[in-house]
C-alpha cells in the first residue's frame, strides 16, 4: 500500500525502512477507534462547511462500511501499510475516489494517533476495572466464609498476632480499591480530545473542536496543540496504575505460593488452576501465582520504557513516540491476562482452616494479649510486656505454650494472674476483642466487606 506522503520523494521506500518504520502490526488493534475518530472528524468537517455535506456523508458511510467489513472478516488489514491510519484512508480512497481524499483535511496523523490511543485505552481501562472488581468480589466472598478462620498474622514473616483469614485477604481489597481509584484518575485526565491540534500548530480551518470531542464522548479538548500531539502522560499514568496493580497481585501471589508449600499448607489450589512436574510425580505447583509474580516485571518494564522514551524528546511529535503503543498495550494485555487467571484461582482454592489454626496455636501470637491482661489489672504496659516476655522464655524452656503453662508458673512471675488468664489468651477471644475499625473481629471485617462491596457497586 502506498504511503500518504509520496509527493516529494523520488525513490521507492527501501523494504528495510518500511519494515522498521511501520507500526501496523501493533496499531491495527486500533482500527475501530481510528474509524470512529474519522467519522467524527468527517461529520464535523461537513457540519462546519469545511467540506461539502454530501461528501462528508459519503465519507461517513464509506468508513462505516470499512468498519463492518473488517469486523466481519471480508476486509483484511494490509500488513504492508505504514500504519492503521494509512490503511483506512487508503481503503476509503480506493472505494470513494476523490471524495476519500478529503477526509484528511485539517488533520494530521499526529493528532489522529493521539486520539486513537486515548480511545483505545479508555475502553481497555473499563475492561480492566471490571476485572479488578470481579477479583474484589471473589475476595469478599472468600472473606465472608472465613470470618472465624483464625490464622497467625505476621511481621518480618514471624508469627505476630492472631487475625483471621478474612481479615488478611481483605487487605488486598483495600489495595485493589485504591487501584480502581487510580484507573479512574488516569481515565479522567486521558479523556480529553486532541483532534484539531493538527501536526503541531493547529489549523487555519474553522473547526468545531468541541463538536468532535462531544461525538467521541470526551470531557473536553486539549488546550495547546503542541502538547495535544506530544503528550503521552496518559500512557505513563496508566502504566503506573497498572504497575501498582501488578505489585498487589504479585504480593498476593507470593503469599499463595508460600501458603501452598508443605511448610505452610494454608491453602490448596484447585487442580484446574495448578500444574505438575514432568519428573516429580508428587508435585502440584502454583504456576499461575508464580507467573503473575513474574509478569509484574514486564509491566514495570513497560512503565520504564515509556518514561525513558518520553523524557528526552523535544516538542512536538517525534517518531520515538511510536514506541508508546507496544509498551502500553503490553502492560494492558498482561494485566488483563493476569487478572483473568488469578481471580478464578482464588475463587476455587480451598482454605485449610485447621492448618491455619494449628499454626496460630504456636508462636506465642497471644503474647500481646497476655500483656494487655496485666495492663487491665493495673500494671503499666512496659512492666506487663517484661513479665510476658519472661513467661514466653519459660514456655520455650519447658516446651509449653501460654495456653498450657500452669497458673502457678504465671503467678511465680506476676501475682496479678488469675484463672481467667486462659480466657484472655484464647485465640478466639483475642480476635473478637479487636473490634477497632480495620481490625480482625467479625464486626470489623464485616464492615470492611461492606465497604468494599459498596465501592464496586
Ligand atoms: N505510526 C505513528 C505513531 O504511532 C503515527 C503517527 C505518524 N506521524 C508521523 N508524523 N510520521 O506514532
Amino acid at each position: 500500500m502506498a504511503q500518504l506522503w509520496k509527493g516529494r520523494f523520488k525513490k521507492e521506500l527501501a523494504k528495510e525502512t518500511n519494515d522498521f518504520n511501520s507500526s501496523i502490526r501493533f496499531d491495527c488493534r486500533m482500527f475501530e477507534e481510528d474509524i470512529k475518530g474519522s467519522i467524527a472528524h468527517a461529520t464535523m468537517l461537513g457540519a462546519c462547511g469545511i467540506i461539502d455535506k454530501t461528501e462528508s456523508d459519503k465519507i461517513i458511510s464509506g468508513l462505516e462500511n470499512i468498519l463492518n467489513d473488517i469486523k466481519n472478516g471480508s476486509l483484511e488489514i494490509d500488513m504492508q501499510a505504514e500504519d492503521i491510519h494509512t490503511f483506512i484512508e487508503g481503503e476509503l480512497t480506493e472505494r470513494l475516489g476523490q471524495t476519500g481524499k478529503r477526509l484528511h483535511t485539517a488533520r494530521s496523523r499526529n493528532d489522529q494517533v493521539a486520539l486513537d490511543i486515548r480511545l483505545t485505552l479508555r475502553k481497555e481501562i473499563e475492561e480492566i476495572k471490571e476485572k479488578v472488581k470481579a477479583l474484589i468480589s471473589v475476595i469478599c466472598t472468600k472473606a465472608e466464609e472465613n470470618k472465624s478462620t483464625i490464622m497467625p498474622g505476621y511481621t518480618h514473616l514471624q508469627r505476630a498476632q492472631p487475625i483471621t483469614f478474612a481479615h488478611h485477604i481483605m487487605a488486598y481489597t483495600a489495595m485493589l480499591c485504591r487501584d480502581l481509584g487510580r484507573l479512574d484518575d488516569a481515565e479522567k485526565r486521558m479523556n480529553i480530545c486532541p483532534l484539531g491540534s493538527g501536526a503541531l500548530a493547529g489549523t487555519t480551518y474553522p473547526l468545531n473542536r468541541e463538536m468532535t470531542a462531544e461525538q467521541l464522548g470526551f470531557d473536553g479538548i486539549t488546550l495547546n496543540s503542541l502538547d495535544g500531539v506530544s503528550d503521552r502522560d496518559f500512557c505513563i499514568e496508566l502504566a503506573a496504575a497498572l504497575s501498582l496493580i501488578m505489585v498487589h497481585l504479585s504480593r498476593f501471589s507470593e503469599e499463595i505460593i508460600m501458603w501452598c508449600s508443605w511448610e505452610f499448607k494454608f491453602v490448596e489450589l484447585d487442580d484446574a488452576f495448578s500444574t505438575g512436574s514432568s519428573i516429580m510425580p508428587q508435585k502440584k505447583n502454583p504456576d499461575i501465582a508464580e507467573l503473575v509474580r513474574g509478569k509484574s516485571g514486564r509491566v514495570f518494564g513497560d512503565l520504564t520504557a515509556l518514561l525513558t522514551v518520553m523524557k528526552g524528546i523535544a516538542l512536538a511529535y517525534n517518531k520515538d513516540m511510536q514506541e508508546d503503543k507496544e509498551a502500553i498495550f503490553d502492560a494492558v494485555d498482561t494485566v488483563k491476562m493476569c487478572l483473568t487467571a488469578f481471580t478464578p484461582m482464588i475463587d476455587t482454592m480451598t482454605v485449610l482452616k485447621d492448618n491455619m489454626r494449628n499454626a496460630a496455636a504456636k508462636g506465642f501470637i497471644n503474647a500481646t494479649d497476655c500483656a494487655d491482661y496485666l495492663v487491665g489489672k493495673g500494671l503499666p504496659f512496659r512492666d506487663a510486656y517484661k513479665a510476658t516476655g519472661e513467661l514466653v522464655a519459660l514456655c520455650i524452656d519447658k516446651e509449653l505454650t501460654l495456653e498450657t503453662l500452669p497458673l502457678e508458673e504465671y503467678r511465680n512471675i506476676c501475682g496479678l494472674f488469675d484463672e481467667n488468664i486462659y480466657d484472655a489468651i484464647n485465640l478466639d477471644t483475642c480476635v473478637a476483642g479487636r473490634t477497632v475499625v480495620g481490625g480482625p473481629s467479625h464486626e470489623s471485617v464485616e464492615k470492611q466487606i461492606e465497604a468494599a462491596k459498596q465501592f464496586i457497586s
Side-chain angles (χ1 to χ4, degrees):
M1 171 169 280
Q3 288 79 34
L4 295 170
W5 36 265
K6 286 252 108 167
R8 67 105 72 205
F9 291 81
K10 296 198 174 72
K11 274 189 175 175
E12 277 303 307
L13 193 65
K15 183 179 178 308
E16 293 84 345
T17 311
N18 191 48
D19 292 347
F20 187 60
N21 190 45
S22 158
S23 55
I24 190 112
R25 66 184 189 284
F26 47 85
D27 65 21
C28 62
R29 75 189 263 170
M30 308 194 297
F31 73 88
E32 185 159 2
E33 289 71 25
D34 192 77
I35 294 175
K36 288 192 169 152
S38 290
I39 290 175
H41 180 66
T43 309
M44 182 276 293
L45 291 178
C48 295
I50 297 168
I51 63 173
D52 205 75
K53 180 79 174 57
T54 52
E55 291 205 289
S56 110
D57 287 346
K58 269 197 210 155
I59 290 174
I60 293 163
S61 62
L63 288 166
E64 280 164 354
N65 291 338
I66 292 175
L67 180 58
N68 284 338
D69 292 351
I70 297 177
K71 279 189 168 172
N72 69 27
S74 60
L75 174 63
E76 212 181 297
I77 297 174
D78 175 6
M79 286 298 148
Q80 290 313 305
E82 186 177 328
D83 51 36
I84 190 65
H85 330 294
T86 305
F87 173 74
I88 303 287
E89 192 185 322
E91 182 64 28
L92 185 75
T93 304
E94 216 159 273
R95 292 183 182 200
L96 303 186
Q98 289 301 104
T99 302
K101 295 183 189 166
R102 297 200 189 278
L103 169 63
H104 212 55
T105 315
R107 188 176 75 166
S108 157
R109 277 184 300 166
N110 296 349
D111 52 0
Q112 196 177 351
V113 72
L115 171 83
D116 292 3
I117 310 173
R118 285 168 196 263
L119 290 173
T120 306
L121 295 181
R122 200 171 73 178
K123 189 181 71 187
E124 297 288 7
I125 289 176
E126 284 310 310
E127 263 185 55
I128 294 171
K129 281 197 322 204
E130 283 316 305
K131 286 182 186 291
V132 172
K133 285 181 186 175
L135 176 57
I136 292 175
S137 160
V138 158
I139 297 174
C140 285
T141 307
K142 272 268 168 301
E144 261 152 11
E145 295 159 7
N146 286 284
K147 283 185 293 196
S148 304
T149 309
I150 303 278
M151 72 177 274
Y154 296 82
T155 63
H156 311 268
L157 204 54
Q158 301 287 318
R159 290 173 193 163
Q161 290 182 336
I163 56 169
T164 64
F165 188 61
H167 185 226
H168 190 105
I169 59 176
M170 284 309 290
Y172 286 102
T173 66
M175 299 175 221
L176 293 165
C177 286
R178 290 196 296 275
D179 288 328
L180 286 176
R182 271 183 285 271
L183 290 172
D184 277 342
D185 271 358
E187 196 175 9
K188 231 176 278 159
R189 269 186 294 279
M190 181 183 295
N191 205 28
I192 302 290
C193 187
L195 274 189
S197 301
L200 75 158
T203 170
T204 52
Y205 294 97
L207 300 186
N208 184 343
R209 293 191 60 202
E210 285 80 6
M211 183 185 170
T212 328
E214 202 176 306
Q215 281 182 80
L216 293 167
F218 283 107
D219 297 326
I221 56 174
T222 53
L223 294 178
N224 178 288
S225 58
L226 293 149
D227 182 55
V229 286
S230 69
D231 165 35
R232 293 295 183 270
D233 289 3
F234 58 93
C235 295
I236 295 173
E237 276 192 68
L238 177 59
L242 296 176
S243 293
L244 268 170
I245 294 179
M246 290 307 293
V247 168
H248 300 147
L249 293 184
S250 182
R251 290 183 77 177
F252 205 168
S253 294
E254 168 65 13
E255 299 212 283
I256 302 284
I257 293 160
M258 286 193 310
W259 293 341
C260 284
S261 70
W262 282 107
E263 283 68 17
F264 277 83
K265 265 290 162 242
F266 282 4
V267 299
E268 169 102 34
L269 294 182
D270 191 87
D271 279 2
F273 295 95
S274 18
T275 54
S277 153
S278 61
I279 174 170
M280 298 168 280
Q282 83 285 12
K283 289 295 287 290
K284 182 168 172 185
N285 297 328
D287 283 29
I288 291 182
E290 290 169 50
L291 266 174
V292 168
R293 190 178 55 181
K295 282 179 189 294
S296 60
R298 280 179 86 107
V299 178
F300 307 161
D302 292 327
L303 170 63
T304 308
L306 285 165
L307 288 166
T308 314
V309 163
M310 292 308 294
K311 79 175 179 64
I313 48 182
L315 294 179
Y317 177 85
N318 293 261
K319 198 62 178 252
D320 317 39
M321 290 165 64
Q322 180 165 290
E323 291 292 311
D324 58 1
K325 283 170 285 299
E326 279 168 292
I328 193 62
F329 293 161
D330 181 68
V332 160
D333 294 343
T334 304
V335 168
K336 279 188 348 193
M337 216 185 345
C338 287
L339 286 165
T340 304
F342 192 84
T343 301
M345 178 192 75
I346 298 292
D347 193 25
T348 53
M349 79 185 177
T350 307
V351 179
L352 303 174
K353 302 183 183 191
D354 291 346
N355 293 352
M356 289 189 185
R357 175 96 202 188
N358 290 340
K362 296 175 208 132
F364 306 100
I365 62 177
N366 44 6
T368 315
D369 300 85
C370 180
D372 289 342
Y373 170 88
L374 291 176
V375 171
K377 297 264 179 176
L379 206 63
F381 180 78
R382 206 32 79 205
D383 294 338
Y385 172 97
K386 186 164 171 285
T388 308
E390 286 168 22
L391 283 167
V392 168
L394 187 66
C395 287
I396 292 171
D397 259 5
K398 293 183 176 284
E399 294 189 6
L400 292 172
T401 61
L402 287 172
E403 288 89 333
T404 52
L405 186 74
L407 185 59
E408 203 183 303
E409 302 277 13
Y410 272 98
R411 288 226 173 98
N412 286 343
I413 287 182
C414 178
L416 293 171
F417 281 114
D418 264 323
E419 192 60 46
N420 59 2
I421 178 60
Y422 296 107
D423 276 342
I425 59 164
N426 175 288
L427 293 180
D428 297 296
T429 319
C430 297
V431 166
R434 288 178 158 78
T435 52
V436 64
V437 174
S441 72
H442 268 212
E443 310 90 283
S444 299
V445 168
E446 269 156 20
K447 281 190 192 128
Q448 292 163 47
I449 296 173
E450 208 35 60
K453 284 185 170 170
Q454 186 80 32
F455 198 84
I456 58 172
S457 66

